[in-house]
Amino acid sequence: MSAQQPKFETQTQVDFVVIGAGAAGGIIAKELSTAGFQVVVLEQGPYLKEKDFDHDEIKHFWQAALINDWKKQPNSFRKTPKAKATVQPAVMYGRMVGGGTAHFTANYWRFHEIDFVERSKLGTISGTGFDDWPITYAELEPYYTKAEWELGISGQPGPFDPPRSKPYPLPPLPIKSAGALLANGARKLGWHPQPAPMAILSQPYRGRSACSHCGFCEGYGCEIKAKSSTLATVIPEAEKTGRCEIRSGSYVRKIETDNAGRVTGVIYFDEKKTEIFQRAKAVVLCANGAETARLLLISKSNLFPNGLANSSGVVGKYLMFNGGGFATGVFEHELNEFKSVAVTRIIHDFYDSDPKRGFYGGGGLDARFDVYPIGYALGALPRETPRWGADYKKALKQYYTRSMFTFGHTTSLPVERNSISLDPEAKDSWGLPAMRVTYKDHPDDLKIMKFFSDRGMELLDAAGATKRWAGPVEESTFGVHLLGTCRMGNDPKRSVVNKYHRAHDLANLFICDGSSFVTSGRGQPTCTIQALAYRASDHIIRMAKNGEIKSA
């Protein structure tokens, strides 16, 4: 806890409890507390600071240092609703103050105008919930700009970018070898490379240091605050108000309601697994697109027998993961891609869905080498490479410094059966029902992954790779981007929250994170999650000040 943090009594009815201190929750906590409201933020993970971060690959990638721990919080997975779910890791998210923004790659793409109106432009897609958003790009644009300037984003607009009211606050990060090869190859093919927008500082900004290019970025916390996480940016500002208390180690088990159907507060376990009830006038749920749905389903009562905010039956449904099309290239000379940030150049030539392809889907392409030495040695070499002995060592030495990947970030269609639900048998370490994930990619999702894998192979060839191979296109069994499970909409029978993120069923419950998405965008959701959080905050503040939020 910082020196500025208040300590609210649990029986004090605070103005807002925010559940989750990640991409959306951190912003909403800052906006509400700055506007004069009392805010308690409940975060299940620890409150780590820059001094706590290190470069231990085993700890970060095999021991769940910054993410959910499947030993304590098991998932189960099945491909269809009729199949028996098997206990296995199925989703990953940031579990700490700052959430996924503390360790993400930091790609920071705005959605394009088409993302919000694709159904109107392309028509329906059979077997899906493909739909327009209840808001437009123009309505969200001021909040994209606010996010970029408050958090600190480095970039430069490209030829396919949507309109913007203000330039990026910081110039692009220096180009790396993979970025230069991507740009050269793309130009030979007639494509249009552009600097990657990144939530990493290219220059000092608002008292924070510029990136030192240490190379331990994706998967790690930043020791010098150059990554523009909510941990490094808005959460300290929220604490400075003296009206925001961050309670880390708080594992929420239920959002409580009264007989009139109003939210009264939140029941959670503290670090000693003692059950505590925090009273609140209103609750803002920002626990990510998987845990948000799970918590609503767990919070059922006699008044809400199918889970909270779920009169539509839509809570947990239309889960979207985003897809990926991969290819690997090896070059004659050393690239040394282990240095600096993961991505410096991207391609958006294939962003829009093109009916001429014969299927729905679009995306963006980047070049990177985001694998660390142990992970590379265990699984990233070509299949024909020996796995032991002198030839294995020779291959490691040759490939590690000369390789790069192309990564196509692609659409996922909203399919009703793809969902978060409660496992009837598995429990977490707190005795609550484990998360059950049901997911099977729509055939068009697999086709767009293959399309981008093929474009990656073309790009590597044009860039001069001496050896290249495509990654397999397989059905998803694991998700990192957790989208769509409490979708926005104007119709209470087909959506969970309205265009202001207010639950249709409860006047003092708001939901804002990846769960609010109607469609998936093109594989980089954080920028839009945070723009939505700024927009939701404005409307929650307006409603609170106008007396439109009736508490218990």
Side-chain angles (χ1 to χ4, degrees):
M1 180 184 291
S2 71
Q4 298 97 339
Q5 276 204 45
K7 176 66 177 175
F8 294 109
E9 297 295 327
T10 56
Q11 288 307 307
T12 299
Q13 187 186 44
V14 297
D15 294 313
F16 293 96
V17 164
V18 176
I19 303 173
I27 285 171
I28 290 173
K30 178 260 181 182
E31 292 292 288
L32 295 179
S33 58
T34 302
F37 296 103
Q38 296 175 326
V39 180
V40 169
V41 180
L42 301 177
E43 164 58 45
Q44 63 163 295
Y47 197 158
L48 303 176
K49 295 295 181 65
E50 287 68 29
K51 64 179 175 53
D52 300 313
F53 297 140
D54 58 35
H55 297 169
D56 186 331
E57 185 179 349
I58 291 178
K59 189 170 86 175
H60 285 78
F61 288 89
W62 280 271
Q63 296 177 343
L66 306 181
I67 62 170
N68 49 313
D69 183 346
W70 297 289
K71 294 177 181 175
K72 296 179 180 176
Q73 300 163 272
N75 308 148
S76 64
F77 180 85
R78 59 185 182 176
K79 288 193 174 181
T80 65
K82 292 183 179 179
K84 171 73 173 177
T86 302
V87 174
Q88 66 180 72
V91 302
M92 186 181 84
Y93 56 83
R95 184 179 179 275
M96 58 176 289
V97 174
T101 64
H103 63 79
F104 75 146
T105 311
N107 270 316
Y108 211 77
W109 304 358
R110 292 185 179 200
F111 274 20
H112 294 191
E113 292 166 293
I114 186 66
D115 284 300
F116 299 89
V117 293
E118 279 193 297
R119 183 186 179 281
S120 293
K121 299 292 184 182
L122 301 174
T124 59
I125 299 177
S126 178
T128 76
F130 190 56
D131 210 344
D132 289 343
W133 290 51
I135 59 174
T136 63
Y137 174 82
E139 290 176 80
L140 199 56
E141 197 284 331
Y143 300 99
Y144 278 125
T145 296
K146 185 173 184 178
E148 290 169 355
W149 280 79
E150 289 215 349
L151 302 172
I153 307 301
S154 303
Q156 180 178 308
F160 303 105
D161 276 25
R164 60 171 49 246
S165 55
K166 208 171 178 181
Y168 286 103
L170 294 161
L173 287 145
I175 191 168
K176 295 175 59 180
S177 302
L181 290 167
L182 176 144
N184 290 341
R187 291 192 184 100
K188 288 180 182 176
L189 295 167
W191 305 346
H192 302 82
Q194 66 179 84
M198 299 293 284
I200 298 172
L201 303 184
S202 60
Q203 297 176 355
Y205 189 70
R206 291 192 167 194
R208 294 161 45 213
S209 301
C211 178
S212 64
H213 310 284
C214 72
F216 290 87
C217 193
E218 183 181 343
Y220 294 88
C222 182
E223 301 105 313
I224 61 170
K225 301 185 181 183
K227 187 178 288 187
S228 300
S229 66
T230 54
L231 176 70
T233 56
V234 287
I235 287 173
E237 292 182 41
E239 291 176 320
K240 286 178 184 175
T241 66
R243 290 182 288 273
C244 180
E245 180 186 352
I246 309 290
R247 290 186 197 160
S248 57
S250 301
Y251 192 77
V252 178
R253 80 158 183 84
K254 188 177 186 181
I255 299 171
E256 193 65 280
T257 57
D258 64 10
N259 292 332
R262 293 171 298 195
V263 168
T264 57
V266 174
I267 303 172
Y268 68 96
F269 295 106
D270 68 9
E271 290 177 322
K272 298 179 180 177
K273 292 193 174 179
T274 301
E275 193 170 283
I276 296 171
F277 176 63
Q278 175 62 56
R279 298 182 66 214
K281 295 178 182 176
V283 168
V284 188
L285 179 53
C286 311
N288 75 56
E291 291 291 1
T292 283
R294 175 175 174 247
L295 180 58
L296 291 172
L297 295 174
I298 288 176
S299 298
K300 66 181 181 181
S301 63
N302 290 336
L303 195 60
F304 301 101
N306 297 318
L308 210 55
N310 196 27
S311 65
S312 63
V314 174
V315 168
K317 297 180 178 177
Y318 301 107
L319 175 65
M320 298 172 285
F321 279 164
N322 288 134
F326 306 92
T328 302
V330 181
F331 290 80
E332 178 184 2
H333 300 289
E334 290 185 340
L335 309 183
N336 294 329
E337 276 290 301
F338 52 83
K339 299 177 181 177
S340 192
V341 302
V343 176
T344 56
R345 290 293 184 275
I346 60 172
I347 293 168
H348 275 185
D349 290 70
F350 310 105
Y351 191 95
D352 289 1
S353 186
D354 184 351
K356 293 177 182 176
R357 296 178 196 147
F359 56 89
Y360 166 80
L365 193 68
D366 70 39
R368 57 173 69 193
F369 185 72
D370 55 347
V371 60
Y372 299 93
I374 298 172
Y376 188 82
L378 291 175
L381 287 166
R383 292 181 179 177
E384 68 275 13
T385 305
R387 288 293 184 267
W388 191 255
D391 287 343
Y392 173 65
K393 291 181 180 178
K394 182 180 178 182
L396 274 181
K397 182 179 179 181
Q398 174 69 17
Y399 288 138
Y400 189 71
T401 55
R402 292 173 172 80
S403 296
M404 70 178 225
F405 311 134
T406 61
F407 189 166
H409 307 270
T410 60
T411 43
S412 294
L413 280 162
V415 178
E416 185 175 5
R417 68 168 181 270
N418 290 341
S419 63
I420 299 294
S421 57
L422 303 180
D423 192 284
E425 299 174 1
K427 305 288 184 185
D428 66 14
S429 292
W430 294 262
L432 302 174
M435 180 187 301
R436 180 174 62 186
V437 178
T438 305
Y439 203 89
K440 184 177 177 63
D441 294 285
H442 188 279
D444 284 8
D445 298 346
L446 297 172
K447 291 174 182 174
I448 193 65
M449 292 183 210
K450 178 66 166 58
F451 175 87
F452 270 90
S453 177
D454 292 344
R455 300 292 80 72
M457 290 289 280
E458 290 177 11
L459 181 69
L460 291 167
D461 190 39
T466 57
K467 182 180 179 66
R468 59 191 173 92
W469 62 96
V473 175
E474 299 172 330
E475 289 186 339
S476 304
T477 59
F478 186 82
V480 176
H481 296 169
L482 309 171
L483 312 171
T485 55
C486 296
R487 54 182 8 204
M488 302 170 71
N490 296 321
D491 184 352
K493 295 180 180 178
R494 299 172 55 237
S495 57
V496 177
V497 297
N498 66 16
K499 65 187 294 184
Y500 304 120
H501 297 266
R502 190 181 210 168
H504 289 302
D505 297 348
L506 298 103
N508 61 342
L509 175 64
F510 299 85
I511 302 167
C512 185
D513 52 27
S515 72
S516 306
F517 281 34
V518 180
T519 51
S520 70
R522 270 63 179 169
Q524 297 302 336
T526 306
C527 179
T528 296
I529 289 172
Q530 297 197 302
L532 290 173
Y534 277 112
R535 181 178 177 276
S537 298
D538 265 9
H539 290 289
I540 293 170
I541 291 167
R542 170 183 57 78
M543 286 185 260
K545 290 187 173 179
N546 291 342
E548 297 174 30
I549 302 175
K550 303 297 183 184
S551 60

